Amino acid sequence: MSKVLLLLTGGTISMVQDSRTGALRPADERTFRNSVPELNDVDVDIIAFAPLLDSSDVNPECWAKMATIVYDHYDAYDGFVIAHGTDTMSYSASALSFMLENLQKPVVFTGSQIPVGVLRSDAKENLLTAIEIAGAKDEEGESIVPEVTIYFEDRLFRGNRTTKRNAEHFSAFNSYNYPPLAKAGVHITYQPHLVHYSDPKMPLVLHVECDTNVALIKLFPGITEPVVRSVLATPGLRGVALETFGSGNAPTAEWLTRLLADAVQRGIVIVSKTQCSTGSVEMGRYETSVGLMQAGVLSGYDITTEALVTKLMYLFGECGDDTEKVKTLLQQNLCGEMTLD
Ligand code: ASP
């Protein structure tokens, strides 16, 4: 039987209903175990964040804590499950995909839309399947999906390709630009040809430094010069994720191109990613993206906003003042986060 470490960070999945007041509150480890008695039938140890967090409060220090726990327990377990709130799960999964370089074991994020302690909850289902996936091995005894993933409802996705798409339905996540790595029905059907494998000769490397001097600008018709200027004038700003229209287009207003070019000249790294859920930036396809190219804005291809923001933080944390290295690595597919052609 595979041995799995379950890291409880918080979110709806770790909540129970108070029998007296009816209010939802975070469960402690014992109450959580009692809510999922099936955990006694699998080889799972639990580490719980204290306090458990709503994922709106998860930040880069929390990512570092999660990644460090995986790193410190790496040899003792076959796989890892991280129970996490759904709201920012895609950011955390993206961040950990960069922080755990050369990962050879599964790290499966999961959560739920209804608390574990409520009768109709999706928590048990999600958790138990995530645990099975984290421990799943092929005939050679190798992990089937040695990546950072999100398992939710009946799909396993590469974590850095996901976006939370639904606050109501059980299928809360989607991966618009990359197919699921597995589907769970009566059987779990894996798609090994879609899995990103790290070089087995390389050891796991932990990166915990993140530089949060990044900004996200979403373009919209009518966006004004003072708004863009003030964001780009933010003291210490190093990187910008620029959400552009369609295949990477922007208003052709002279002031916008000038402000972006000036920011690039000052060493700020700007990356264009499309506001569309599906598809990729194609710089130069329309005249309305030529100005961005000339200003020195980079293409984010088909990356998600979550993966781009966390990749910028990770690269600035890792590369320090070497902006050219950051730019080079932004144009590379580091762990399956984007498709280059
Ligand atoms: N607000 C909760 C969280 O993200 C929602 C959830 O877990 O689904 O922590």
Side-chain angles (χ1 to χ4, degrees), residues 93-112:
S94 298
L96 262 71
S97 74
F98 301 119
M99 290 170 143
L100 295 167
E101 192 184 346
N102 303 324
L103 188 68
Q104 313 283 343
K105 294 183 180 183
V107 175
V108 187
F109 278 79
T110 196
S112 69

